[in-house]
């Protein structure tokens, strides 16, 4: 659990020191690795390699779709020209993820499985459903473009 909290602190440090347009380049390029490292620290003590492999596969799929979401969420996306509102929205979303990660790790450190499970379910619900909605929007936009 200490390793998971260290990963959260590292990600918070990167996020805190990222500013303006270097935000995506500096933070999101490292996010997939940090996110998996965190989740691996949480699940590794289960000593269930098949479960961990399944979760890793889901994490990789999620990371790919997050990158796609970021690239497609703004048709005029240009990493060097993010608006202040886009940067603030992204920072807010990542801060929420990191807060949830910290809460999950702290619940695990207290051996409070029920609380950790509750926070993890909310974490998956929050970010998984957001991703599903964004992918639906992207799919609809792609379908409209192919009809033109």
């Amino acid at each position: 659990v200490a390793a998971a909290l260290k990963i959260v602190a590292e990600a918070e440090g990167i996020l805190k020191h990222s500013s303006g347009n270097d935000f995506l380049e500096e933070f999101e390029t490292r996010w997939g690795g940090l996110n998996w490292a965190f989740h691996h620290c949480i699940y590794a003590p289960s000593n269930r390699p098949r479960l961990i492999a399944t979760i890793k596969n889901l994490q990789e799929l999620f990371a790919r779709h997050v990158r796609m979401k970021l690239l497609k969420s703004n048709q005029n996306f240009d990493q060097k020209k993010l608006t202040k509102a886009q940067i603030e929205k992204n920072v807010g979303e990542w801060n929420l993820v990191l807060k949830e990660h910290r809460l999950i790790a702290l619940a695990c450190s207290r051996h409070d499985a029920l609380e950790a499970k509750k926070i993890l379910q909310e974490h998956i619900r929050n970010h998984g459903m957001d991703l599903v909605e964004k992918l639906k929007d992207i799919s609809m936009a792609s379908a409209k473009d192919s009809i033109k």
Side-chain angles (χ1 to χ4, degrees), residues 118-148:
K118 179 180 139 196
I119 298 165
L120 182 59
Q121 286 173 330
E122 187 67 21
H123 178 67
I124 292 167
R125 200 170 17 256
N126 283 342
H127 307 291
M129 292 310 295
D130 177 58
L131 179 62
V132 168
E133 291 304 315
K134 296 291 185 194
L135 291 172
K136 284 180 186 176
D137 292 345
I138 292 165
S139 179
M140 292 295 288
S142 295
K144 286 179 186 177
D145 288 344
S146 67
I147 294 173
K148 292 180 183 178

Side-chain angles (χ1 to χ4, degrees), residues 25-93:
E25 184 177 339
E26 189 174 346
F27 185 71
E28 292 176 359
T29 56
R30 296 185 59 197
W31 176 248
L34 289 168
N35 192 47
W36 169 244
F38 171 82
H39 285 279
H40 185 263
C41 284
I42 296 299
Y43 301 123
S46 72
N47 200 24
R48 296 179 67 192
R50 289 178 100 177
L51 173 67
I52 293 169
T54 299
I55 292 168
K56 182 174 173 88
N57 184 44
L58 290 171
Q59 287 283 320
E60 289 170 353
L61 289 170
F62 182 78
R64 185 175 342 151
H65 290 297
V66 166
R67 284 191 300 276
M68 186 174 71
K69 171 189 148 184
L70 291 168
L71 293 173
K72 300 269 185 165
S73 64
N74 179 1
Q75 288 183 347
N76 299 318
F77 181 85
D78 182 341
Q79 188 167 331
K80 303 292 185 224
K81 297 181 182 174
L82 289 175
T83 67
K84 184 176 180 180
Q86 288 170 313
I87 292 168
E88 288 173 0
K89 182 177 185 283
N90 286 345
V91 168
E93 289 175 0

Side-chain angles (χ1 to χ4, degrees), residues 16-33:
K16 183 177 181 180
H17 293 100
S18 295
S19 62
N21 288 315
D22 65 341
F23 171 75
L24 284 176
E25 184 177 339
E26 189 174 346
F27 185 71
E28 292 176 359
T29 56
R30 296 185 59 197
W31 176 248

